[in-house]
Amino acid sequence: MLNNRTSPYLIKLPLSLLILMMSGCASSKNHTENKTERVPVSLVTISEPEFTEDDGLFSDAKFDDEQLEDDGLFDDALFSDEEFSDEQLEDDDDLFSDDSIIETESKTEISDPFYYFNKAMFHVNDKLYFWILRPTAVGYKAITPQFFRVGVANFFHNITMPIRFTSSLLQGDIESSGTELGRFAVNTTVGLLGVMDPAEDYLDWQPNNQDMGLTLGKYGIGNGPYIVWPIFGPSTLRDTVGKGTDYFLSPLTYLQPDKLSITVQAVDKVNATYFSLGDYEAFKQAYIDPYERMKEFYIEYRAERVAEE
């Protein structure tokens, strides 16, 4: 049994503990409520970027300059630091320039207003060659030795010196005109009227083949219409005028009687044909349209001669 003095303490102690517990709960509740009120209210929610795991596509190692392989498309040799000259730059700006090695053949427009006449004369000369000139040259070759034919060619070249001398002089080529004059003097005397050519063989004075047609060309006169003359063959209006002048400059023109002049010039033609036997035959076999190709060849050949220095 508890005495009366201890019973009040027994009652007071649990009661005090109960009061303390209740007061603690109340205090904890109030503290929780106060903390809830201090949480700031934000209208905008800012989310931090999520960390993306590196998938390796943009790895720094793959963009290391040392590891890049040269695919050859931009070879350093093509883009060297060498400075380009102005001429190179201008050439590169030409979108239609042709840098290929193979050069395209330029076609020159040839005036041929006498086409039907020219083509008829082409066939006439073709028949004259195969029916008369070629058989005569072949027969001439059969009855004459080689040195004789060479001597005849030298003689006719020497005697027509006035044509080449005058043409060279009018072109302002003093050296060539002086050479022609010296060749004529040496070959006519030492070379037995030009049958021999000691000026070339011993003095190395080379001949030239200038004519008045070339002289007109060097003065800037154009070809004019293309013309085919019987016996004389292809020509142009400019070269026809030149041949007319050459005719009056040639000493063979003034041989008398006229039959002698014609005979001597016929011998010159036959002798010259001998040195070109086979050329015309090969030309006709090589081209489908020999008339058109002959016209182009003639114009190109004369243009090259005019362009010579």
Side-chain angles (χ1 to χ4, degrees), residues 263-281:
T263 301
V264 171
Q265 294 185 62
V267 172
D268 181 24
K269 184 69 174 178
V270 171
N271 192 74
T273 302
Y274 156 76
F275 289 99
S276 61
L277 279 175
D279 294 347
Y280 181 68
E281 293 88 330

Side-chain angles (χ1 to χ4, degrees), residues 110-116 118-119 224-227 291-292 295:
I110 301 174
S111 175
D112 191 5
F114 311 116
Y115 173 79
Y116 295 105
N118 291 339
K119 197 152 189 177
Y226 178 71
I227 305 173
Y291 169 78
E292 290 293 336
K295 179 171 60 177

